[in-house]
Amino acid sequence: MATKDPIAVERANLLNMAKLSIKGLIESALSFGRTLDSDYPPLQQFFVVMEHCLKHGLKVKKSFLSYNKTIWGPLELVEKLYPEAEEIAASVRDLPGLKTPLGRARAWLRLALMQKKMADYLRCLVFRKDLLGEFYEYHALMMEEEAAVIVGLLVGLNVIDANLCVKGEDLDSQVGVIDFSMYLKNEDDAENKDRNDHISAILDQKNYVEELNRQLNTTVSSLHARVDSLEKSNTKLIEELAIAKNNIIKLQEENHHLRSENTLILMKTQHHLEVNKVDAEAELQTYKHSRQSLDEMYNEAHRQLREESQLRQDIENELMVQVGMKHEIELAMKLLEKDIHEKQDTLISLRQQLEEVKAINVEMYQKLQVSDDTMKEKNEIIGRLEDKTSQITATMKQLEQSFSFTQS
């Protein structure tokens, strides 16, 4: 025989215990009255069994001091998935006596039962296995089909009225142990089997009808809302269609008007382009002639500029020559002035010599009258002196002529 998976066996056992617990709770509630309190043993066992089902396959989370396995984490997700569960979650957080996550989870289960919403809350949770994967192993009961079966069984609890005092109850330190003796049957219970089966069948039918009716009511309400929404959308679409048709007509008229204006503008533009083309060609010819005249003027101006530049260069060269000649003339004048001064000094010296010669001539003439013997000698001397005097006179004349030329 093939060996069964022990995890699957655990899930099956928990499912059976949930069936027995829910069935026993419903039967006892119908026998002893529907209003139940916290001390009612079948109700206490129901919460213990539900706690074991929610704990199955729960991932171990490491805390600062120890390892922690709590079912409060997945139950907190319900308020995000089911907006009506926000009130119950807020009530649990506001309870003053709860200190542990397990205590808050137990209080949450009790409040959900009193609201008759436990099946609805857990149904939206088991359908989101992508979120439950954060808290449960892949083989956990909440991740398998057994969870959907238990949720279906929980619908039957809606026939029960419970009045549970959560405030002041010590939910943190309770020990959740399943009492199997409540589910063991003896021979005395055999005679009540048919009655219990009949009651169970009636309850199942009643629960099925109530659930079906609730689902139908929800569907009808949803359909009515959808019909209203569709009617509003249809009315809005009809109005939008009429507006769109009017807009289309206006746009067509505007398009026709724009086409006419476009044709007129195009014709005007073409005419304007032709006129501009003619004007541009005329301006181009004028520009070409002007350009030719300007080129000629430029060439003539360039030629004149070259000539003037050459003329300026020649003038500058001539100016440099004139400056050089001026320097040379100034130097020659200085030399000439120096020569004139020297000649003037020589002329003065010659005049002095002439005066001396004249004095000598006078003296010699006097002596000549005194002495005839020496006349010949003196005449010779006088002749020589006259020759010398003639030479000196000629020289003085030359110097005077040179001096006159220099001053002129």
Side-chain angles (χ1 to χ4, degrees), residues 4-21 49 52-53 56 141 146 150 178 180 183:
K4 293 185 177 180
D5 185 6
I7 304 298
V9 174
E10 290 179 5
R11 292 198 302 268
N13 291 336
L14 289 173
L15 177 60
N16 292 328
M17 288 304 303
K19 289 180 180 179
L20 291 174
S21 175
V49 173
H52 279 78
C53 291
H56 183 262
L141 184 143
E146 288 84 355
I150 292 175
I178 300 176
F180 293 98
Y183 309 107

Side-chain angles (χ1 to χ4, degrees), residues 9 16 21 29 47 52 54 80 86 111 168 175 191 234 238 256 261 285 298 312 357 384 388:
V9 174
N16 292 328
S21 175
F47 287 125
H52 279 78
L54 291 171
K80 298 179 181 179
E86 294 179 356
L111 293 176
V175 179
E191 60 185 15
N234 190 22
I238 291 173
H256 179 70
E261 290 183 352
Q285 294 296 330
Y298 173 77
R312 180 180 177 182
V357 169
R384 289 195 299 269
K388 188 175 182 180

